[in-house]
Amino acid sequence: MSQQQGDRTTWRRASPGALAQQEPLWREVLGARLRRLRKHQGRTLHELAAEAGLSPQYLSEIERGRKEPSSEMIAAIAGALGIGLVDLTLEVADELRRDTLSFIGFAPVSDLRTHTGSPPRDVSASTVVSLSAVA
């Protein structure tokens, strides 16, 4: 059994009768990001799937984090959404970083890329490197 938070599953069964929090999976974060981009553009699953050259059912499974799409599929979906593959990858990586910091107990920072004050006590400047700072 799993609980949903936003677009991603954040709890998985660790052992019979017990739930344990796990780090997010790449495919879950990727799928959630693709769904948010599609909805932000006001497009339907069928429209995007047709433009990307895949079935709506497969796109739905990708968006729900159930399928691990090939790099060719990710590129096709990104292209249909009008986002570069590098930009999409950086967005997913940034989200994974934020989720992982939260998972390991660091206090969340609203956005590490735009944080101008001193780092929170739990996170030193050398601990967190923003990937977007090098882009």
Side-chain angles (χ1 to χ4, degrees):
M1 180 176 273
S2 64
Q3 295 178 344
Q4 296 289 325
Q5 177 185 359
D7 292 328
R8 279 191 311 277
T9 301
T10 55
W11 298 90
R12 289 188 189 69
R13 190 172 303 282
S15 61
L19 292 178
Q21 190 173 14
Q22 300 290 316
E23 286 185 88
L25 298 175
W26 172 265
R27 70 173 186 252
E28 293 172 341
V29 177
L30 172 67
R33 184 68 187 137
L34 292 172
R35 177 172 283 177
R36 284 193 304 274
L37 286 167
R38 177 179 59 79
K39 287 187 174 192
H40 178 74
Q41 293 179 6
R43 298 172 71 186
T44 68
L45 204 65
H46 290 273
E47 291 168 343
L48 181 60
E51 190 171 337
L54 51 134
S55 75
Q57 295 83 3
Y58 187 64
L59 179 58
S60 175
E61 297 240 355
I62 292 170
E63 286 187 353
R64 289 181 289 132
R66 305 265 195 248
K67 295 289 184 187
E68 191 87 47
S70 68
S71 58
E72 290 86 2
M73 284 290 146
I74 296 168
I77 297 166
L81 287 167
I83 185 171
L85 192 54
V86 171
D87 291 330
L88 176 62
T89 302
L90 287 172
E91 289 176 10
V92 173
D94 283 345
E95 192 167 332
L96 273 169
R97 184 199 62 232
R98 283 191 299 272
D99 288 354
T100 300
L101 285 174
S102 176
F103 170 75
I104 60 176
F106 286 107
V109 174
S110 60
D111 185 352
L112 296 174
R113 291 177 296 175
T114 59
H115 183 67
T116 57
S118 54
R121 288 190 319 176
D122 291 347
V123 181
S124 70
S126 63
T127 304
V128 178
V129 176
S130 175
L131 293 174
S132 60
V134 296

